mmCIF file of all heavy atoms in Angstrom:
data_model
loop_
_atom_site.group_PDB
_atom_site.id
_atom_site.type_symbol
_atom_site.label_atom_id
_atom_site.label_comp_id
_atom_site.label_asym_id
_atom_site.label_seq_id
_atom_site.Cartn_x
_atom_site.Cartn_y
_atom_site.Cartn_z
ATOM 1 N N GLN M 29 11.562 23.822 7.157
ATOM 2 C CA GLN M 29 11.483 23.470 5.738
ATOM 3 C C GLN M 29 11.968 22.041 5.520
ATOM 4 O O GLN M 29 11.448 21.336 4.655
ATOM 5 C CB GLN M 29 12.327 24.429 4.904
ATOM 6 C CG GLN M 29 11.577 25.678 4.517
ATOM 7 C CD GLN M 29 12.358 26.441 3.476
ATOM 8 O OE1 GLN M 29 13.248 27.220 3.812
ATOM 9 N NE2 GLN M 29 12.037 26.224 2.226
ATOM 10 N N ALA M 30 12.943 21.617 6.310
ATOM 11 C CA ALA M 30 13.457 20.252 6.174
ATOM 12 C C ALA M 30 12.364 19.232 6.493
ATOM 13 O O ALA M 30 12.197 18.247 5.767
ATOM 14 C CB ALA M 30 14.653 20.049 7.101
ATOM 15 N N ASN M 31 11.613 19.468 7.561
ATOM 16 C CA ASN M 31 10.526 18.544 7.909
ATOM 17 C C ASN M 31 9.412 18.580 6.875
ATOM 18 O O ASN M 31 8.830 17.545 6.549
ATOM 19 C CB ASN M 31 9.972 18.856 9.299
ATOM 20 C CG ASN M 31 10.883 18.380 10.399
ATOM 21 O OD1 ASN M 31 11.729 17.525 10.182
ATOM 22 N ND2 ASN M 31 10.740 18.945 11.582
ATOM 23 N N LEU M 32 9.121 19.746 6.335
ATOM 24 C CA LEU M 32 8.108 19.840 5.288
ATOM 25 C C LEU M 32 8.581 19.091 4.040
ATOM 26 O O LEU M 32 7.809 18.404 3.385
ATOM 27 C CB LEU M 32 7.791 21.293 4.954
ATOM 28 C CG LEU M 32 6.706 21.514 3.897
ATOM 29 C CD1 LEU M 32 5.385 20.873 4.313
ATOM 30 C CD2 LEU M 32 6.516 23.002 3.629
ATOM 31 N N SER M 33 9.852 19.187 3.734
ATOM 32 C CA SER M 33 10.414 18.481 2.587
ATOM 33 C C SER M 33 10.297 16.966 2.755
ATOM 34 O O SER M 33 9.952 16.257 1.813
ATOM 35 C CB SER M 33 11.881 18.871 2.392
ATOM 36 O OG SER M 33 12.448 18.158 1.333
ATOM 37 N N ILE M 34 10.563 16.479 3.954
ATOM 38 C CA ILE M 34 10.424 15.052 4.238
ATOM 39 C C ILE M 34 8.984 14.618 4.025
ATOM 40 O O ILE M 34 8.712 13.569 3.434
ATOM 41 C CB ILE M 34 10.898 14.737 5.675
ATOM 42 C CG1 ILE M 34 12.413 14.883 5.765
ATOM 43 C CG2 ILE M 34 10.455 13.351 6.120
ATOM 44 C CD1 ILE M 34 12.964 14.878 7.168
ATOM 45 N N LEU M 35 8.062 15.439 4.464
ATOM 46 C CA LEU M 35 6.638 15.140 4.280
ATOM 47 C C LEU M 35 6.262 15.153 2.802
ATOM 48 O O LEU M 35 5.611 14.240 2.310
ATOM 49 C CB LEU M 35 5.808 16.173 5.055
ATOM 50 C CG LEU M 35 4.312 15.988 5.074
ATOM 51 C CD1 LEU M 35 3.927 14.701 5.762
ATOM 52 C CD2 LEU M 35 3.647 17.171 5.758
ATOM 53 N N LYS M 36 6.716 16.160 2.072
ATOM 54 C CA LYS M 36 6.375 16.301 0.655
ATOM 55 C C LYS M 36 6.921 15.166 -0.199
ATOM 56 O O LYS M 36 6.280 14.747 -1.155
ATOM 57 C CB LYS M 36 6.903 17.635 0.106
ATOM 58 C CG LYS M 36 6.111 18.814 0.568
ATOM 59 C CD LYS M 36 6.659 20.156 0.102
ATOM 60 C CE LYS M 36 7.682 20.131 -0.953
ATOM 61 N NZ LYS M 36 8.172 21.437 -1.370
ATOM 62 N N THR M 37 8.088 14.667 0.142
ATOM 63 C CA THR M 37 8.711 13.613 -0.668
ATOM 64 C C THR M 37 8.196 12.220 -0.313
ATOM 65 O O THR M 37 8.584 11.241 -0.945
ATOM 66 C CB THR M 37 10.246 13.632 -0.518
ATOM 67 O OG1 THR M 37 10.581 13.464 0.847
ATOM 68 C CG2 THR M 37 10.839 14.918 -1.064
ATOM 69 N N GLY M 38 7.342 12.135 0.704
ATOM 70 C CA GLY M 38 6.786 10.851 1.085
ATOM 71 C C GLY M 38 7.701 10.020 1.954
ATOM 72 O O GLY M 38 7.467 8.829 2.151
ATOM 73 N N LYS M 39 8.754 10.613 2.472
ATOM 74 C CA LYS M 39 9.694 9.884 3.315
ATOM 75 C C LYS M 39 9.280 9.864 4.782
ATOM 76 O O LYS M 39 9.881 9.162 5.577
ATOM 77 C CB LYS M 39 11.094 10.480 3.185
ATOM 78 C CG LYS M 39 11.678 10.302 1.798
ATOM 79 C CD LYS M 39 13.052 10.912 1.690
ATOM 80 C CE LYS M 39 13.585 10.747 0.273
ATOM 81 N NZ LYS M 39 14.870 11.406 0.095
ATOM 82 N N ALA M 40 8.248 10.614 5.121
ATOM 83 C CA ALA M 40 7.777 10.657 6.506
ATOM 84 C C ALA M 40 7.119 9.331 6.872
ATOM 85 O O ALA M 40 6.390 8.752 6.077
ATOM 86 C CB ALA M 40 6.791 11.808 6.688
ATOM 87 N N LYS M 41 7.381 8.857 8.064
ATOM 88 C CA LYS M 41 6.784 7.609 8.549
ATOM 89 C C LYS M 41 5.439 7.870 9.205
ATOM 90 O O LYS M 41 4.631 6.966 9.353
ATOM 91 C CB LYS M 41 7.715 6.932 9.556
ATOM 92 C CG LYS M 41 9.065 6.558 8.978
ATOM 93 C CD LYS M 41 8.924 5.461 7.937
ATOM 94 C CE LYS M 41 10.279 5.108 7.374
ATOM 95 N NZ LYS M 41 10.203 4.362 6.157
#
Side-chain angles (χ1 to χ4, degrees):
Q29 274 191 275
N31 284 340
L32 182 58
S33 177
I34 290 168
L35 184 63
K36 286 177 13 180
T37 58
K39 294 179 182 176
K41 299 293 180 196

